[in-house]
């Protein structure tokens, strides 16, 4: 039964003088990837050695300096992989590997065996401290749980002394930190830190896991600020966060946690992990990047990252995944397409020092995407998007009034098929409905004479109809007058634009015209060697799309 009364609200801590809301993130945190441990244990098919090696190499390439590579005391494949990294010298000198272990002596000893010969390593020990786990899983009181943590810290320190050639760092996690009373979490961590004596120069990391996300991110931030304030040796300790995404707020919680005083973030590429996943390092890193902050990780080839992650995890990356998804830089909405088009033009024209383009928080090219993916056309697309495709892909620049004309044609075609319209299909529709000269109506020649500011014109078409003769204040008006006289119809020129074409094209001029004949609008776009020829052909092509032109061809009227 779906009954909300089965649950109760998470109880926040009382922190009335919180300072984190006034803070701003100005630099990237220290990063630690847990793809090979936390991410791997959440897979239906855990990674094999080849997949783990490929993932490790990607993490190194991206710039990670700390990588949790496994749980060697709990898994022979993990143990073997750690040995492979060390024995085959696959770990760069500036990269520190990390292994996880429970606070049990035999597991800690096994962990050190796996790390023998490593230049630098972090031993990460944990035990659960939450109220629920103390009472329901372990059946122990506070002192009993704290004793496990302290004894684990002693073993971690003692076994490290057996391997003096390795530069050791120690890390402790009070698992299910967010479900632990804050004063008790501080008490346990203070006791562990006292065993490790970071004041002597040893690197100590206290990792605070939201093992299950239990509250809104602001409550998590309060917990982190409280913890940082009350920890006895805060200045000698690195505070790390390990958030999960059960409520969909893993990244937000990590960001607010940094504002609250954390120094380091654990997570996975694209968020793979238990249940709804770990904190997504790509998303958090790109969030920083979009704010002008160097994430210290290189995400410039997002396609490679997705390819490796999908290969190693055998899980697809969603098309709408933040920053990385296939459709993230694709606009289907007509109003969005129009805004993108105008904003890109404005950005290029004014050479703005910073990226400020509507609906595109970053330049897609920064992460290996292309502008060709920005606009795609379907029945929901607007006039601006269709015009942008023609201009972007074929150099066809149309006046604004033509945007709605071509858009109506494209939208109807999309509605008829129910499918997306490709760039080539858009060009074909444009040519069929506006650019192609109807049979028999190409301009064969014309003579223009000016008599007291009045242009008199004689016009010939390919169908060998008798020449049209008319007059007006210009060539276009003279041709319109000639057509009105010949076909006994009223023609209004509602739109007319002409422009020079770019170098490298055969034609030199383009003309766009819209004629209203008996209340119906007919439009055409033509190009020619000069502006007069382009304009006259545009008028003929637009008129030829009306029923009157068919009558002329059938009857060859004189």
């Amino acid at each position: 039964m779906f009954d909300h009364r089965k649950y109760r609200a998470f109880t926040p801590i009382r922190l009335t003088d919180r300072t984190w809301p006034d803070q701003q993130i100005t630099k990237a945190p220290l990063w630690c990837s847990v793809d090979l441990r936390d991410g791997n244990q959440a897979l239906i098919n855990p990674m094999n050695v080849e997949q783990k090696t490929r993932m490790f190499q990607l993490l190194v390439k991206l710039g990670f300096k700390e990588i949790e590579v496994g749980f060697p005391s709990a898994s022979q494949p993990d143990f073997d992989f750690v040995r492979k990294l060390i024995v085959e010298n696959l770990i760069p000198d500036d990269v520190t590997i990390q292994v996880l272990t429970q606070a049990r002596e035999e597991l800690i000893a096994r962990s050190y065996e796996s790390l023998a010969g490593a230049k630098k390593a972090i031993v990460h020990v944990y035990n659960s401290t939450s109220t629920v786990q103390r009472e329901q899983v372990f059946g122990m009181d506070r002192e009993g749980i704290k004793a496990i943590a302290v004894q684990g810290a002693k073993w971690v320190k003692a076994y490290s002394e057996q391997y003096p050639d390795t530069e050791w760092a120690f890390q402790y996690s009070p698992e299910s930190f967010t479900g632990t009373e804050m004063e008790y979490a501080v008490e346990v961590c203070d006791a562990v830190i006292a065993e490790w004596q970071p004041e002597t120069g040893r690197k100590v990391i206290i990792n605070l896991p939201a093992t299950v996300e239990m509250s809104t991110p602001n409550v998590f931030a309060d917990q982190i600020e409280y913890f940082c304030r009350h920890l006895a040796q805060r200045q000698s300790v690195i505070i790390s966060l390990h958030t999960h995404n059960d409520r969909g707020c893993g990244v937000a919680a990590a960001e607010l946690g940094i504002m609250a005083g954390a120094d380091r973030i654990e997570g996975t590429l694209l968020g793979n992990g238990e249940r709804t996943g770990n904190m997504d390092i790509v998303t958090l890193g790109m969030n920083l990047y979009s704010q002008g902050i160097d994430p210290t990780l290189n995400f410039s080839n997002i396609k490679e990252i997705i390819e490796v992650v999908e290969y190693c995890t055998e899980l697809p990356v969603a098309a709408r995944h933040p920053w990385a998804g296939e459709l993230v830089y694709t606009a289907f909405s007509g109003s969005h397409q129009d805004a993108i088009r105008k904003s890109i033009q404005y950005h290029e024209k004014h050479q703005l020092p910073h990226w400020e383009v509507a609906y595109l928080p970053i330049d897609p090219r920064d992460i290996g995407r292309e502008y060709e993916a920005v606009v795609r056309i379907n029945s929901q697309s607007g006039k601006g998007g269709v015009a942008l495709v023609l201009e972007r892909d074929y150099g066809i620049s149309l006046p604004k009034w033509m945007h709605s004309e071509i858009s109506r044609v494209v939208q109807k075609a999309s509605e008829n098929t129910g499918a997306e319209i490709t760039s080539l299909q858009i060009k074909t529709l444009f040519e069929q409905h506006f650019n192609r000269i109807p049979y028999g109506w190409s301009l064969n020649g014309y003579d223009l004479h000016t008599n007291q500011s009045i242009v008199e014109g004689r016009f010939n078409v390919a169908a060998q109809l008798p020449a049209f003769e008319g007059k007006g204040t210009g060539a276009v008006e003279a041709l319109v007058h000639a057509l009105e006289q010949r076909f006994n119809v009223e023609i209004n020129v509602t739109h007319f634009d002409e422009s020079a074409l770019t170098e490298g094209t055969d034609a030199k001029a383009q003309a766009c015209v819209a004629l209203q004949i008996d209340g119906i609008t007919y439009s055409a776009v033509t190009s020619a060697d000069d502006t007069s020829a382009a304009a006259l052909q545009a008028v003929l092509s637009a008129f030829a799309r009306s029923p009157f032109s068919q009558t002329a061809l059938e009857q060859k009227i004189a």
Side-chain angles (χ1 to χ4, degrees), residues 441-443 461 468 479 483 536-545:
W441 286 89
S442 60
L443 182 67
V461 296
F468 304 138
L479 176 55
L483 294 171
L536 295 172
Q537 182 61 70
V539 171
L540 286 173
S541 293
F543 179 78
R545 291 181 168 84

Side-chain angles (χ1 to χ4, degrees), residues 414-435:
S414 181
E415 289 173 349
N416 288 340
T417 63
E420 180 182 333
I421 299 293
T422 67
S423 172
L424 182 59
Q425 287 173 318
I426 291 173
K427 183 173 183 287
T428 300
L429 289 168
F430 167 74
E431 291 173 342
Q432 289 175 345
H433 291 268
F434 302 98
N435 191 234

Side-chain angles (χ1 to χ4, degrees), residues 144-157:
I145 292 295
K146 183 171 72 171
I148 292 174
V150 171
Q151 183 59 67
K154 290 179 178 179
W155 283 324
V156 166
K157 180 181 177 182

Side-chain angles (χ1 to χ4, degrees), residues 238-349:
I238 294 171
I239 300 297
S240 177
L241 305 181
H242 182 115
T243 59
H244 278 253
N245 205 42
D246 298 88
R247 294 170 54 93
C249 301
V251 169
E255 288 179 322
L256 268 56
I258 294 170
M259 293 163 60
D263 310 298
R264 180 179 184 265
I265 295 293
E266 291 189 349
T268 61
L269 296 178
L270 303 172
N272 173 51
E274 298 279 10
R275 302 177 307 281
T276 57
N278 283 53
M279 202 288 304
D280 178 2
I281 289 181
V282 172
T283 296
L284 180 50
M286 288 305 301
N287 287 357
L288 298 176
Y289 181 81
S290 71
Q291 300 301 302
I293 299 170
D294 180 4
T296 70
L297 298 173
N298 186 349
F299 300 130
S300 60
N301 191 345
I302 201 69
K303 293 179 182 178
E304 180 188 19
I305 296 172
I306 292 173
E307 177 187 347
V308 174
V309 169
E310 289 187 333
Y311 168 74
C312 293
T313 65
E314 300 178 22
L315 294 172
V317 174
R320 298 291 183 188
H321 193 102
W323 302 111
E326 180 186 359
L327 297 180
V328 170
Y329 306 101
T330 302
F332 288 91
S333 163
S335 61
H336 289 201
Q337 292 166 355
D338 187 50
I340 290 171
R341 175 177 176 272
K342 292 174 181 176
S343 192
I344 288 176
Q345 291 176 341
Y346 183 92
H347 195 276
E348 293 175 348
K349 177 181 178 180

Side-chain angles (χ1 to χ4, degrees), residues 39-78:
N40 186 52
Q41 76 178 37
L43 297 177
I44 299 171
N45 299 311
M47 297 181 218
N48 57 37
V49 172
E50 189 274 331
Q51 289 171 318
K52 286 184 178 181
T53 303
R54 187 171 178 185
M55 177 66 79
F56 181 80
Q57 291 171 338
L58 173 66
L59 295 169
V60 170
K61 182 178 180 180
L62 296 179
F64 284 93
K65 302 305 178 186
E66 295 181 356
I67 302 171
E68 189 166 87
V69 293
F71 200 151
S73 63
S75 163
Q76 187 63 42
D78 276 17

